[in-house]
Amino acid sequence: MEVRAITVFASAATLAEPDRLAELGRTAATLRGHIENAGIKVQSLRLATPPAPGWISEPAALPQAAVALEASAKQAGFKHLAVGTIGPGPDQAAWLAAVPTALAGTQWLFCSAELLGADSAAFGACAQTVLANSRLGNDGFANLRFAAAFGMPPAGPFFPAAYTAEGADDGFALAIEAADLAVAAAAEAPNLDHFVAGLAEMLTGRLQPLTALANRHAGRAVFHGIDCALAPYPSPERSLGTAIESLTATPFGGPGTLAAVAALRRAVTAASFPKTGFNAPMLIVLEDAVLAARSGETGFGWAELLACAAAGSCGPDVVPLPGDLPVARLVAALRDVAALAESIGRPLEMRVLPLPNRVTDDATDFSFDYFAPGRVMAL
């Protein structure tokens, strides 16, 4: 298990005060040191803001504000920055239209669009933003930094969907990468009930001491809790696909897959620790060695990812798609995930990577440590 991120949620007032932002950076760095002294690796320090429309004057100002804030965040010790979730409203489409320019001018800026309650123009604008992002380079990588969110509450630490509640005080939360614990629990479990109990016990044993550390070294920030989305890393021993296939004895997407996904979520729910964010398995296609390998096989496609979202996952994430994807088809996919989130009553996200000049079944070849080799999937 590792901490994927210590995500700090800054208030609008703190964003305007370099000294206060620097103090938050020191608090996060101190906490990182204590966690690593306890033997747990911390991968990154991240900063999230309130929704951009609340502290930036107009959509046209987003790119310049993003560049300035990224520089300030880096100076304070944060590598990744999320400028909040752009929510429904009469100018949501205009804000989304400014996102590609903001991403183009920054290195590790993230953003998301909240689409529950959004109008048709916003769904179209979100799809257009995804396609515009895909053309920022020749590899489609920019969409790693943009996602659609559906009912995401504030203070969830996983990017791109992280944001500070308007009017909230400064706080932080921990994002957990723990697919390796799921693999270990699956290897020892004779059935799903034993798996749920065993994984819940493992998570409680690891996350309660981490909670104590976070509370002890919170400084003046509010500790919101932990998001144990069981995030993977692109190696088989740290893959949710490995855990699921161990439980089902069949390739991902076959019989038993949905029951295994639901069991993963039940285990996280049963574990005792303060929760914030998704706390459901993240099936991140290109960040999971097994899922990436299965992406070119029959029996694993968009329909299976949607079914897994209904059963317990966070939604389709980092899915490589053809570069010539029609806008209307992408809008339809966004509407499907919105309908699903409304039906099941819990937050979902959708992050897709249309790849320029690639078609279905083409190989992916990113030079990024967190991506495994996969194939372009059909939508």
Side-chain angles (χ1 to χ4, degrees), residues 32-239:
R32 179 181 200 162
H34 287 290
I35 292 174
E36 293 191 331
N37 286 340
I40 303 171
K41 181 180 178 181
V42 178
Q43 296 177 9
S44 63
L45 303 183
R46 303 182 181 183
L47 178 68
T49 78
W55 56 276
I56 298 174
S57 60
E58 59 179 349
L62 175 62
Q64 184 176 354
V67 170
L69 185 57
E70 185 176 59
S72 297
K74 183 177 180 180
Q75 187 172 8
F78 300 102
K79 179 178 180 180
H80 304 98
L81 167 68
V83 289
T85 294
I86 297 171
D91 55 354
Q92 187 178 18
W95 282 98
L96 290 175
V99 168
T101 305
L103 296 187
T106 55
Q107 184 176 9
W108 287 113
L109 180 92
F110 291 73
C111 186
S112 58
E114 174 58 62
L115 292 183
L116 278 194
D119 60 19
S120 295
F123 277 88
C126 186
Q128 293 282 8
T129 296
V130 169
L131 295 176
N133 292 342
S134 74
R135 296 188 287 268
L136 292 178
N138 57 14
D139 60 359
F141 186 75
N143 273 307
L144 180 71
R145 300 188 279 144
F146 179 76
F150 306 87
M152 187 65 190
F158 273 104
F159 279 27
Y163 69 99
T164 308
E166 291 189 24
D169 293 331
D170 298 330
F172 70 97
L174 305 179
I176 302 300
E177 180 184 294
D180 57 331
L181 298 186
V183 171
E188 298 173 359
N191 55 51
L192 286 181
D193 289 339
H194 281 81
F195 169 73
V196 170
L199 180 55
E201 182 178 1
M202 284 185 186
L203 292 173
T204 298
R206 299 293 186 93
L207 298 179
Q208 284 190 348
L210 192 58
T211 298
L213 274 176
N215 282 318
R216 194 177 306 130
H217 302 288
R220 66 173 182 82
V222 176
F223 175 46
H224 293 294
I226 294 173
D227 190 347
C228 184
L230 297 170
Y233 181 84
S235 61
E237 67 276 10
R238 296 163 69 179
S239 157

Side-chain angles (χ1 to χ4, degrees), residues 304-344:
E304 285 72 27
L305 290 173
L306 287 186
C308 286
S313 81
C314 298
D317 199 12
V318 191
V319 185
L321 297 177
D324 62 354
L325 193 67
V327 172
R329 197 161 185 81
L330 189 51
V331 168
L334 291 166
R335 287 200 174 277
D336 280 347
V337 179
L340 185 56
E342 289 178 330
S343 297
I344 63 178

